[in-house]
Amino acid sequence: MRASWLAAAGWLALIHWPVAACTLWGAAGAASVDGTLLAKNRDWKPDHVQSLRLRHPEHGYAYLGLYADNGREPGIKAGVNEKGLAVVGAEASSLPRELRADRARHGVLTRLLRDYGSLDEVAAAADNLFSQTRPVFLLLADASGLMQVEVGQHGRYQLSRQRNGTLAHTNHYSNLSLLDGAQKIGPSSKARLARIRFLLDQRPSHALAEFERLSRDHHDGPDNSLWRDGREHTLAGWQMALPAGAAPRLHLALANPGEQTLERDYTLDAAFWSQPARTLLP
């Protein structure tokens, strides 16, 4: 058994796989002056375009989603629904692609946005939801706080809640019990996690405008910064405020390849959700 484990670990160490990346972070409770804050920098090869779409499914809640429209892995990448539940995700790219693309399991962002209205509802359904989800990292938010989910191999997962403080995640596991073997942590994932944690530690409390500035941080060069323009590019910056008793607010920077970056602010009140389903950007 030990020999087979060592062989597998050696095999993993030699394999090179794509380092698809994203940085997720948030603040809740006394750590924010704007209600719960949630942010994602979406990094990928600049080989596709993205859009912001308002959806009204036949069953379930209306939701607003950031979509990759084409490329190798199209689909929803971040979103918020009419009940004020927001979800962002990051690739588990410390695993080889063939382990991340577990055909026996599926993605979960659309289901979360369509069918669940709060972190409490997600927590109550966690076993049903995440045991069937392929490896991924999720950061969820509502006005009550934050929830982080690491989904590992074969449906193993860890869920943690934060009602008063900050959370951050990049593209590698903190809980190795979720994996069958070794992971390969890329230098960018390490550097971005260290940087966003450092920046969050500089203030006792945060604001949406500050999260917009953090998204643009270039401290560690083209490949390891929060906003990247090297081997991979930051293609979108998503920052949200979810205050209790008021409409959520979204700031989106959409940086489709070869186009000028579009920045828009949305107040997600009743009038917003009453619009017909449509594409808002680009």
Side-chain angles (χ1 to χ4, degrees), residues 217-245:
D217 186 78
H218 286 93
H219 180 268
D220 294 293
D223 290 311
N224 296 329
S225 291
L226 300 183
W227 192 277
R228 304 170 73 194
D229 56 7
R231 179 182 170 191
E232 293 188 345
H233 286 208
T234 300
L235 299 178
W238 171 286
Q239 305 97 37
M240 292 206 69
L242 299 116

Side-chain angles (χ1 to χ4, degrees), residues 107-257:
V108 75
L109 263 72
T110 295
R111 185 178 176 189
L112 286 165
L113 293 167
R114 184 192 63 208
D115 296 342
Y116 296 88
S118 69
L119 296 184
D120 286 343
E121 290 181 14
V122 174
D127 284 345
N128 181 49
L129 278 166
F130 302 121
S131 64
Q132 300 303 314
T133 299
R134 67 174 65 100
V136 71
F137 305 121
L138 301 170
L139 191 57
L140 301 87
D142 66 11
S144 74
L146 297 164
M147 174 188 291
Q148 181 174 283
V149 185
E150 290 191 338
V151 183
Q153 292 177 259
H154 313 300
R156 300 197 296 272
Y157 72 92
Q158 181 181 49
L159 181 155
S160 57
R161 300 280 295 266
Q162 176 62 277
R163 299 183 187 275
N164 190 40
T166 62
L167 287 174
H169 212 293
T170 51
N171 303 101
H172 60 275
Y173 287 88
S174 59
N175 184 352
L176 299 184
S177 71
L178 303 177
L179 305 178
D180 291 347
Q183 66 173 336
K184 182 178 179 180
I185 303 174
S188 175
S189 188
K190 277 186 177 180
R192 285 180 288 110
L193 185 61
R195 179 62 176 169
I196 192 59
R197 285 177 170 171
F198 171 80
L199 292 171
L200 291 171
D201 285 346
Q202 299 311 295
R203 295 173 181 263
S205 191
H206 305 277
L208 181 61
E210 178 202 351
F211 270 33
E212 295 171 22
R213 293 193 298 272
L214 296 187
S215 173
R216 290 288 189 172
D217 186 78
H218 286 93
H219 180 268
D220 294 293
D223 290 311
N224 296 329
S225 291
L226 300 183
W227 192 277
R228 304 170 73 194
D229 56 7
R231 179 182 170 191
E232 293 188 345
H233 286 208
T234 300
L235 299 178
W238 171 286
Q239 305 97 37
M240 292 206 69
L242 299 116
R249 290 178 288 145
L250 168 66
H251 177 83
L252 178 67
L254 193 69
N256 280 334

